[in-house]
Amino acid sequence: MTSRIAIVTTVEMPVPDADEELLLPLLPEAELVAWDDPNVDWSRYDLTLLRSTWNYTEHLEEFLAWAERVSQVSRLMNPVETIRWNTDKRYLDDLAAQGFATVPTVFVAPGQAADARALEGHVVVKPSVGAGSSGAKMFRDDPAGASAHLASLHDDGRTAMIQPYLSAVDTAGETALIYVGGEFSHAARKAAILSRGMSWSTGLYADEKVVATEATEAERALADRIVATLPDLAYARVDLLPTDTGPVVLELELTEPSLFLALGEGAAERAATSFRALASHPSL
């Protein structure tokens, strides 16, 4: 009997994203289903695979409750425990505590005041729960502007995070290393977004300029070490920024990352094979 796979999106996505367009023809047993469609019977699916659920940041508690429910009737990937941890970027503190090089980050919860020194210089202020650069703003020697943005995030009940803007991204870009089934698949290079005008063609995430690339030995070493600490997952994406002392983690994407399948030779086929195995062998 053929397993059934739900590739999960949102009702707010008008069309399949680029990864889904490649995956769906390779997985005839799969269909595109919205997490926020109340009429879906999730028990119909052997595998519920999170993909373009990019509006979850505005509905986090509802999304996590949905994930918990689905995990009781279908194999949810990535698992709900991982999702719960990964949907708040305070996981960066956990990575740093494990000794991984990360972008220095100060988290400021509503009701807390930021150290004035954290807002000095060239900084990025964004919500700790966010995707696709939503809510992220860059400030150049503008502590008052940075403080005002932080206050606006607090007014919305959101924890803010403050990071130095690592200017090497303007020339070298950001490297995304993609893993499928725990194995390295391919890498992509993303151009800087915040230092140039952003566009939002879908309304859910900022448009990105992304090209295929070869990860450096240092990038692979760092990303491999991180992925080795993770539980069994359908996919992972490790986003790294360059510094004078080596790459550092900007984000560890385990919930709904774009996998840039078009940029890796055979990447879509590898992903489809891996996802089919997850659906066919629920105990794996």
Side-chain angles (χ1 to χ4, degrees), residues 29-230:
E29 66 269 44
E31 58 184 300
L32 206 58
V33 192
W35 78 269
D36 41 0
D37 179 350
N39 298 314
V40 176
D41 177 5
W42 298 98
S43 67
R44 297 173 58 241
Y45 301 103
D46 300 282
L47 175 67
T48 298
L49 186 70
L50 291 175
R51 295 310 309 126
S52 54
T53 58
W54 293 322
N55 66 340
Y56 81 87
T57 58
E58 303 301 322
H59 313 278
L60 182 59
E61 292 307 315
E62 181 183 351
F63 179 70
L64 293 177
W66 166 86
E68 186 67 46
R69 291 194 304 273
V70 171
S71 69
Q72 304 303 312
V73 298
S74 176
R75 186 175 194 188
L76 180 67
M77 293 300 279
N78 284 332
V80 65
E81 297 81 6
T82 297
I83 296 166
R84 191 177 293 112
W85 176 72
N86 187 242
T87 46
D88 191 316
K89 292 181 180 63
R90 282 178 285 194
Y91 66 74
L92 288 171
D93 278 350
D94 295 334
L95 293 178
Q98 294 177 62
F100 297 117
T102 64
V103 177
T105 307
V106 175
F107 293 95
V108 189
Q112 294 180 333
D115 186 321
R117 291 171 295 182
L119 298 171
E120 296 175 351
H122 195 177
V123 299
V124 175
V125 180
K126 57 187 179 182
S128 68
V129 176
S133 298
S134 177
K137 291 188 178 183
M138 182 184 68
F139 299 90
R140 299 177 185 270
D141 299 313
D142 182 12
S147 181
H149 185 50
L150 184 148
S152 71
L153 293 175
H154 283 178
D155 288 344
D156 290 336
R158 310 174 82 173
T159 293
M161 52 192 291
I162 308 166
Q163 296 175 316
Y165 186 82
L166 303 181
S167 58
V169 71
D170 290 334
T171 52
E174 173 186 330
T175 304
L177 289 84
I178 294 91
Y179 294 74
V180 175
E183 300 293 328
F184 176 73
S185 174
H186 59 287
R189 184 85 66 194
K190 300 195 291 181
I193 291 179
L194 295 178
S195 60
R196 59 180 174 82
M198 289 191 289
S199 60
W200 299 75
S201 60
T202 69
L204 293 177
Y205 59 91
D207 299 324
E208 297 175 317
K209 181 180 179 181
V210 188
V211 297
T213 193
E214 293 291 330
T216 66
E217 289 186 11
E219 289 169 339
R220 274 295 305 274
L222 175 56
D224 285 356
R225 284 175 53 221
I226 291 172
V227 172
T229 70
L230 300 174

Side-chain angles (χ1 to χ4, degrees), residues 9-18 20-21 32 52 54 202 205:
T9 183
T10 166
V11 295
E12 295 185 33
M13 279 288 288
V15 295
D17 81 337
E20 292 159 353
E21 288 183 340
L32 206 58
S52 54
W54 293 322
T202 69
Y205 59 91

Side-chain angles (χ1 to χ4, degrees), residues 231-243:
D232 292 337
L233 303 176
Y235 49 75
R237 198 182 86 199
V238 186
D239 292 349
L240 303 177
L241 292 179
T243 73

